[in-house]
Amino acid sequence: MPIQFIDHSLIDKKKTRSLIRSHVAKGKNLGRTIHRPSRCPQKRQVARSNKESEIYNSENVDSSLTIQRQLQEDLSTSLPFDVSWACRRLFHQFYNLVTVAPYPPELGKAVTPVKGPRLFLQYAFIDEAFFHCLVAMSVAAATSPSITHQETTEAFFHLSRSLRLVNQRLAGDGDVALSDTTLAVVIAMTQHERMLGYQSHALIHFEGLQRIIALRGGISALVSDCPWVAQKAIRADFDFALQLGSPTRYSVEYVPGKATLNWLREEHRRTVNGSLDVPPLINHVNEGLRSTFEDVSTLAWLINDSAVHGLKIDEYQFHNVILLVGYHLLNLRPLNTPIEATDRIELLLHLGLAALMAIFFLPLSLKTDIVLLRGCITSAVMEQGYDDKDERELLLWLLFTAKISVFRHADEDVWLIPKISQVATQLGLSTWDQVSQTIQRFPWVRDFANDTAQRLWDQIPSFPSPPC
């Protein structure tokens, strides 16, 4: 090793002392092989975050799609950052879960999948923090017993790693802290905690999300700048309002989808020659509920009559539309409103529309159960007396709709089936055809509901007859 000469007159200079340390290290490490983790992935990830607009450039989209295809075929595919084989396997499970069937096949006739990478996967292939969060989500979403203790432990490791990366980002440069990828990671963390049932933890992430969005100019600015991320933030807000009964944080005026919904309304009216066939009782409810009734009826028509009208919308716009209708419903009456404070017709109609909309939302959720809505419907059915014919028809429709959406446990049939039998008897309905005609006077999605509803009706003879 060559000799390094040092000028002692400059010994106090920083450059000289650095030179001494470097030369000493060369001698100490001579002949040794040093293995250090590469710093390139971290540098690459930060550079990507600093240039948010690059996410939507065609070069990045093509690269992301290429990596997705390769990962789907081969778990050994190189990613922009170092991850273990077990990590790749967990992510591959989540990849299949969110891409194979994001919507039920019943919607395929009216909803078309968006071309290009989905939001979750697009960010996962360019942002390390987001990738690690999805690995943790893969375990939270899993229902298979094949998930091992080692994989669970690794999932917590990746969640911690994602949190550390996000905290570093939030403490650093403002552009990175407020980037689209930072928002995407926080939204994913919120969903991860909700999937585990930790609502209070999810709310902490959601509050942090609100502060970042506020610094970005508010939800209206985010809808304009990055609609994909904005849709996820709006969906998180809606989910909390639905689960907790609280008002939505965002105003309905900022929820996109109005143009698409208005177009669907016009097409619906045109196909029925401008005369919508609605039960007379709808004319006596408040204007907001009447308008929302038409919106839900339009969505049901879109799916029921797709072979007739031939209309299709892409899944991104469909999600916007159901969020918009959902916001209208919750703004009319938050679910924690006491049932005694609501007109009985409007109560049954509101709960029935909410239960029907839940049919659309539940396939988009992972391991989500709308406990509050189920409790509200149970209370409305069991604690109220309904003597009017209109009320009983609404009640019958609500019972069947709730079975399709939120009453999914067999033990609920113990009281649900006798109640349906009682109401049908009071209405003078004795056959499935008569019942079907009655409930289809209200919004009803046949492909989702008919088979389940008829099986429920066919079970009535096996239960004792309830008092009328």
Side-chain angles (χ1 to χ4, degrees):
M1 191 176 77
I3 298 174
Q4 176 70 51
F5 292 95
I6 302 297
D7 187 348
H8 282 263
S9 64
L10 302 175
I11 196 66
D12 293 331
K13 299 294 184 180
K14 182 178 180 181
K15 184 176 181 180
T16 302
R17 298 182 69 83
S18 176
L19 184 61
I20 294 172
R21 289 195 298 270
S22 175
H23 191 68
V24 170
K26 287 181 181 179
K28 182 178 180 181
N29 295 324
L30 189 64
R32 296 175 60 191
T33 301
I34 307 298
H35 297 280
R36 295 190 181 93
S38 173
R39 297 179 182 177
C40 293
Q42 286 84 347
K43 290 180 180 179
R44 186 187 296 115
Q45 187 268 330
V46 172
R48 295 270 188 174
S49 299
N50 274 323
K51 300 178 180 179
E52 274 305 315
S53 61
E54 292 185 4
I55 292 176
Y56 295 100
N57 289 346
S58 59
E59 180 181 350
N60 280 339
V61 171
D62 292 343
S63 175
S64 177
L65 281 169
T66 299
I67 297 175
Q68 288 180 48
R69 285 193 294 266
Q70 291 174 346
L71 183 65
Q72 192 173 16
E73 298 169 358
D74 183 6
L75 287 178
S76 65
T77 300
S78 175
L79 291 169
F81 28 80
D82 295 329
V83 291
S84 68
W85 181 269
C87 173
R88 292 172 189 271
R89 179 177 176 273
L90 289 171
F91 178 75
H92 193 263
Q93 291 174 180
F94 191 82
Y95 174 94
N96 289 331
L97 181 65
V98 300
T99 58
V100 172
Y103 285 89
E106 292 85 356
L107 291 179
K109 295 180 291 185
V111 180
T112 56
V114 174
K115 295 181 179 179
R118 297 183 184 279
L119 173 70
F120 268 12
L121 297 178
Q122 182 177 340
Y123 286 120
F125 286 100
I126 58 176
D127 186 88
E128 186 178 0
F130 193 82
F131 180 91
H132 286 295
C133 187
L134 291 198
V135 172
M137 289 178 70
S138 70
V139 176
T143 56
S144 170
S146 62
I147 295 296
T148 65
H149 174 73
Q150 180 180 355
E151 289 173 330
T152 303
T153 302
E154 178 146 347
F156 282 113
F157 164 77
H158 288 289
L159 180 63
S160 300
R161 185 170 177 80
S162 180
L163 283 167
R164 180 174 61 80
L165 290 170
V166 169
N167 285 334
Q168 290 175 355
R169 193 179 302 177
L170 293 174
D173 181 76
D175 291 340
V176 178
L178 303 181
S179 65
D180 293 347
T181 49
T182 300
L183 285 169
V185 179
V186 178
I187 292 170
M189 288 179 175
T190 302
Q191 176 68 351
H192 174 263
E193 298 300 331
R194 291 188 64 247
M195 289 163 64
L196 292 176
Y198 302 146
Q199 293 286 354
S200 59
H201 295 176
L203 279 170
I204 293 173
H205 291 308
F206 189 64
E207 291 297 339
L209 178 69
Q210 301 316 302
R211 289 194 287 272
I212 299 174
I213 291 176
L215 292 172
R216 288 269 304 244
I219 190 64
S220 59
L222 188 62
V223 168
S224 176
D225 296 341
C226 190
W228 285 95
V229 173
Q231 186 186 76
K232 297 298 181 182
I234 291 170
R235 175 61 193 269
D237 178 39
F238 175 81
D239 284 340
F240 278 117
L242 191 63
Q243 290 283 354
L244 305 177
S246 55
T248 56
R249 300 288 187 94
Y250 307 134
S251 171
V252 69
E253 66 180 291
Y254 299 128
V255 180
K258 298 177 183 64
T260 304
L261 181 58
N262 289 336
W263 170 70
L264 289 174
R265 273 185 167 192
E266 292 173 2
E267 291 295 321
H268 185 199
R269 290 169 178 169
R270 184 180 60 80
T271 58
V272 296
N273 298 319
S275 177
L276 298 177
D277 182 21
V278 299
L281 65 89
I282 301 301
N283 297 321
H284 303 291
V285 302
N286 69 71
E287 183 179 354
L289 190 55
R290 191 162 60 248
S291 176
T292 305
F293 178 89
E294 181 181 351
D295 292 340
V296 179
S297 298
T298 298
L299 287 173
W301 162 83
L302 174 67
I303 299 166
N304 289 335
D305 297 345
S306 59
V308 177
H309 55 64
L311 300 179
K312 279 196 171 187
I313 60 176
D314 67 55
E315 65 181 57
Y316 174 74
Q317 288 298 331
F318 180 74
H319 201 171
N320 279 341
V321 168
I322 63 176
L323 278 172
L324 180 60
V325 177
Y327 262 74
H328 281 307
L329 265 175
L330 296 186
N331 284 351
L332 286 171
R333 178 185 176 276
L335 291 181
N336 61 0
T337 304
I339 61 175
E340 297 82 4
T342 309
D343 175 83
R344 289 192 297 185
I345 289 285
E346 294 187 353
L347 171 67
L348 292 173
L349 184 58
H350 183 271
L351 290 176
L353 294 176
L356 187 66
M357 290 304 298
I359 296 174
F360 298 126
F361 282 110
L362 284 172
L364 305 180
S365 302
L366 298 172
K367 297 174 66 174
T368 298
D369 186 13
I370 310 176
V371 178
L372 181 59
L373 178 58
R374 191 168 69 238
C376 289
I377 293 174
T378 303
S379 297
V381 170
M382 306 301 289
E383 298 177 13
Q384 298 284 313
Y386 302 99
D387 301 321
D388 183 78
K389 180 175 181 291
D390 287 340
E391 293 176 350
R392 287 173 175 170
E393 288 183 347
L394 264 176
L395 178 60
L396 187 66
W397 166 69
L398 171 61
L399 290 169
F400 276 106
T401 305
K403 175 59 181 178
I404 308 304
S405 58
V406 294
F407 289 156
R408 298 188 170 189
H409 304 295
D411 56 351
E412 292 164 330
D413 293 346
V414 172
W415 66 266
L416 185 62
I417 292 177
K419 190 65 179 179
I420 288 174
S421 177
Q422 179 187 43
V423 176
T425 301
Q426 292 169 341
L427 289 170
L429 308 177
S430 58
T431 67
W432 168 244
D433 287 341
Q434 293 173 332
V435 170
S436 179
Q437 290 176 9
T438 300
I439 60 181
Q440 291 193 47
R441 297 176 62 206
F442 305 96
W444 185 258
V445 185
R446 293 190 294 268
D447 286 346
F448 280 100
N450 274 2
D451 290 344
T452 302
Q454 186 166 2
R455 284 197 300 270
L456 190 69
W457 174 260
D458 291 341
Q459 294 180 57
I460 286 180
S462 62
F463 284 80
S465 300
C468 296

